[in-house]
Amino acid sequence: FTGIIATASFGTPANPGQPSANAGQLITITGTDLKDNSTVTFTTANDSGVPGLANVRITGVNADGTSATVVVPNGATTGLVSMPGTGSSFSLQIVPRLTSFSNTNFRSGDNLQLFGSGFVEGGITVSFGDVDVVDPDAGPTTVDVFSTATSLNVTIPADPGPVVTVTTNGGTSNALTVGPTSFTGIIA
C-alpha cells in the first residue's frame, strides 16, 4: 500500500494538497501485489461521535496489481487509511457534502434537517451565511448527527443567512440554499 489518489467531488478540503474524498466516493489506492480480496481500513465515527474503524473490500484491481478502487464508507472521518498486512497508512480528508434539506419554516429557533454525508457528531459547524452554529458536544443539543453520518438536525440561529455550509476537520461542504435569498416588495 503506497498511497491514495483522491480529490473530493463536492466541497473544499481543509488541506488541498492532501488526498480528499466524500463518503460514497470511489477512490484509488496504489501499491504492489494488490488483490481482489484486499480490504482497506477507514477511520469512522458513529452517530454518537464514538471513533471506530471500517474494513471495506476493494472493488477493482488493475491487471498488474498496482492500483485498485474502493468506496469510502458512510461514517468515514478524516484520518489514516490503512491496508491490513502492509504496515502502511495514509491520511485521507473526508469532506462533508450537502445534498438536500427538509424544513417547513425558515425561522430562528426552528429545526432544519440537512442531508448529505461526512457529518461528524461533536466535530461540526453549520454556517448560515456569516452565522455559525458550532456543535458543542456529542449530544443532540444544538446539532445532532444521525443515519450513519448522512443526516443532521440543527436549530436555525437568529439572523441566519439563506445559504448553508457544513465544516468538519476534513473541510467545508458545497453550499446549499435553504432560505429565501431576496425580498423584493409587497403588492397590495
Side-chain angles (χ1 to χ4, degrees), residues 29 36-42 44 53-59 69-74 76 82-84:
I29 60 168
D36 285 330
N37 65 349
S38 299
T39 60
V40 176
T41 304
F42 291 86
T44 62
L53 300 171
N55 291 313
V56 180
R57 191 172 181 160
I58 59 177
T59 57
T69 54
V70 63
V71 176
V72 177
N74 283 333
S82 61
M83 180 175 281

Side-chain angles (χ1 to χ4, degrees), residues 9 11 13 25 31 39 55-58 60 80-81 83 88 97 124-125 131 137 140 147 166 180:
S9 297
Q25 183 178 329
T39 60
N55 291 313
V56 180
R57 191 172 181 160
I58 59 177
L80 294 177
V81 175
M83 180 175 281
S88 299
R97 176 184 182 198
I124 194 166
T125 299
V131 180
D137 57 34
S147 295
V166 171

Side-chain angles (χ1 to χ4, degrees), residues 33-174:
D33 205 27
L34 299 174
K35 305 287 185 209
D36 285 330
N37 65 349
S38 299
T39 60
V40 176
T41 304
F42 291 86
T43 56
T44 62
N46 70 16
D47 291 338
S48 296
V50 177
L53 300 171
N55 291 313
V56 180
R57 191 172 181 160
I58 59 177
T59 57
V61 180
N62 70 352
D64 63 2
T66 59
S67 73
T69 54
V70 63
V71 176
V72 177
N74 283 333
T77 58
T78 295
L80 294 177
V81 175
S82 61
M83 180 175 281
T86 66
S88 299
S89 60
F90 297 91
S91 184
L92 178 66
Q93 300 170 97
I94 304 300
V95 180
R97 176 184 182 198
L98 290 171
T99 57
S100 61
F101 71 97
S102 176
N103 172 263
T104 313
N105 298 302
F106 187 71
R107 293 186 306 228
S108 176
D110 283 354
N111 184 64
L112 174 67
Q113 188 172 2
L114 296 171
F115 303 98
S117 63
F119 307 146
V120 181
E121 181 68 49
I124 194 166
T125 299
V126 181
S127 298
F128 291 80
D130 293 333
V131 180
D132 291 342
V133 177
V134 179
D135 191 5
D137 57 34
T141 52
T142 308
V143 178
D144 184 27
V145 174
F146 57 98
S147 295
T148 320
T150 62
S151 300
L152 70 81
N153 286 329
V154 60
T155 302
I156 298 171
D159 300 319
V163 178
V164 171
T165 58
V166 171
T167 302
T168 66
N169 65 345
T172 301
S173 73
N174 53 300

